[in-house]
Amino acid sequence: MNDISKDTLKKIKEQRIVPRTKNYFLLRRSTVWMLFGLSIVLGSLAASVAVFQINNAEWDLFKHYRHSVLEFILLFIPYLWILFLIGFSIIAFYYFRRTESGYRYRAVTAVVLSILLSVAGGFAVYKTGLSERIETAFEDNIPFYRGTSFHSRMVWMAPEKGLLAGKITGIAEDGTIKLTDLNGKEWEINAGDALWRGRLSAVPELEIKLIGSKTDNNCFTAKEIRPWRGRQKNQGMGMGRQRGKMHQGMNSSQ
């Protein structure tokens, strides 16, 4: 027996190497591909929520925001979901490199490929409407996630600039809305001539965003009212029709 054979047998004994069956390698290969696919799916979900947030960011508010364009844009970037996307893409790269042909690709190529696959999947998921439900579930059930919406609060809690947000706590007989803002302050909202968007009706506990003007320390005249969450594009309603809905909501709450 030559020296190479002796050394090989010695290493086998020292490292206690045992032969593996064909089924073991099939299972290992299937597991690697499954974990790679799962990482792409999770990355796609993260990308879909990022697409949803960017697509539904209220870019028309820039005229109310007297800062630089870059600072305004930075407020609406979905940092958390982009980090999730990058993280799952790196995990996908890790498992892809452990496939039978993954070693042939450069690291940069494999990472970019993983990100592109997740982004493409994200657009597909976004079209189904699942991304909005994911974001709503996170916001309703994860306290930490609610803190990441601080940028939205920064934009909307600016009554001097004509922006206000909060929850409806009551509706007076004359149609004046009682609102508690995001900081707990009570407001009286004149919404008689407001344009309501998102198929809303004025009912207690509804969370809304208002565009208008501050008329007193705790009085605000609304020109436009939007849902705090949800899609808003192409959902505007005529003022006359919405006023009727508002009074219906007022009557039903009494």
Side-chain angles (χ1 to χ4, degrees):
M1 187 178 296
N2 57 39
D3 293 337
I4 295 177
S5 299
K6 290 180 180 179
D7 291 340
T8 301
L9 290 173
K10 183 178 180 182
K11 288 182 179 180
I12 290 174
K13 291 179 180 179
E14 290 176 351
Q15 298 178 15
R16 298 180 180 179
I17 298 174
V18 295
R20 303 290 188 182
T21 64
K22 181 179 180 181
N23 289 337
Y24 168 82
F25 290 103
L26 288 174
L27 177 62
R28 182 177 181 277
R29 182 184 305 170
S30 301
T31 301
V32 169
W33 278 109
M34 182 185 68
L35 292 172
F36 168 74
L38 179 62
S39 302
I40 294 296
V41 169
L42 293 175
S44 297
L45 294 177
S48 72
V49 179
V51 171
F52 169 77
Q53 290 186 345
I54 292 173
N55 192 51
N56 288 275
E58 288 141 318
W59 305 105
D60 59 316
L61 297 181
F62 179 69
K63 58 187 177 183
H64 298 273
Y65 197 77
R66 299 182 180 88
H67 292 267
S68 69
V69 176
L70 178 61
E71 187 176 353
F72 180 77
I73 291 174
L74 291 175
L75 286 172
F76 286 103
I77 294 177
Y79 300 100
L80 181 64
W81 293 102
I82 290 176
L83 286 175
F84 280 156
L85 168 61
I86 294 173
F88 287 126
S89 295
I90 291 174
I91 294 173
F93 156 74
Y94 173 84
Y95 286 109
F96 177 73
R97 288 298 293 269
R98 278 153 181 75
T99 62
E100 61 273 15
S101 58
Y103 70 93
R104 300 176 183 175
Y105 296 85
R106 294 189 303 169
V108 174
T109 302
V111 170
V112 171
L113 177 64
S114 299
I115 292 175
L116 290 177
L117 286 173
S118 294
V119 170
F123 277 100
V125 174
Y126 170 73
K127 292 293 185 181
T128 69
L130 180 60
S131 52
E132 183 177 357
R133 293 197 290 272
I134 294 172
E135 186 187 37
T136 300
F138 270 68
E139 198 164 287
D140 289 342
N141 300 296
I142 303 177
F144 163 76
Y145 183 77
R146 288 196 289 272
T148 64
S149 64
F150 180 69
H151 62 284
S152 295
R153 296 171 181 266
M154 288 177 60
V155 172
W156 282 102
M157 284 306 298
E160 293 78 13
K161 300 176 183 177
L163 301 173
L164 185 64
K167 180 185 291 185
I168 296 176
T169 55
I171 306 168
E173 291 184 2
D174 62 356
T176 301
I177 295 174
K178 304 292 184 181
L179 183 90
T180 300
D181 71 17
L182 301 180
N183 294 329
K185 182 178 177 179
E186 301 291 334
W187 292 82
E188 289 188 2
I189 309 298
N190 179 359
D193 294 319
L195 171 64
W196 292 70
R197 296 191 180 276
R199 298 185 175 89
L200 297 180
S201 58
V203 293
E205 301 300 311
L206 179 67
E207 295 177 329
I208 55 176
K209 299 178 287 193
L210 306 97
I211 299 176
S213 59
K214 180 181 178 182
T215 55
D216 201 351
N217 183 45
N218 65 334
C219 296
F220 192 91
T221 298
K223 296 180 180 178
E224 182 178 323
I225 299 176
R226 304 178 179 183
W228 175 251
R229 290 186 305 202
R231 305 185 182 191
Q232 298 159 35
K233 296 189 176 181
N234 302 321
Q235 289 185 337
M237 300 184 68
M239 287 188 288
R241 181 181 174 186
Q242 184 53 46
R243 281 189 209 134
K245 288 190 71 176
M246 182 178 74
H247 290 303
Q248 289 176 14
M250 180 182 70
N251 294 333
S252 64
S253 65
Q254 291 176 348

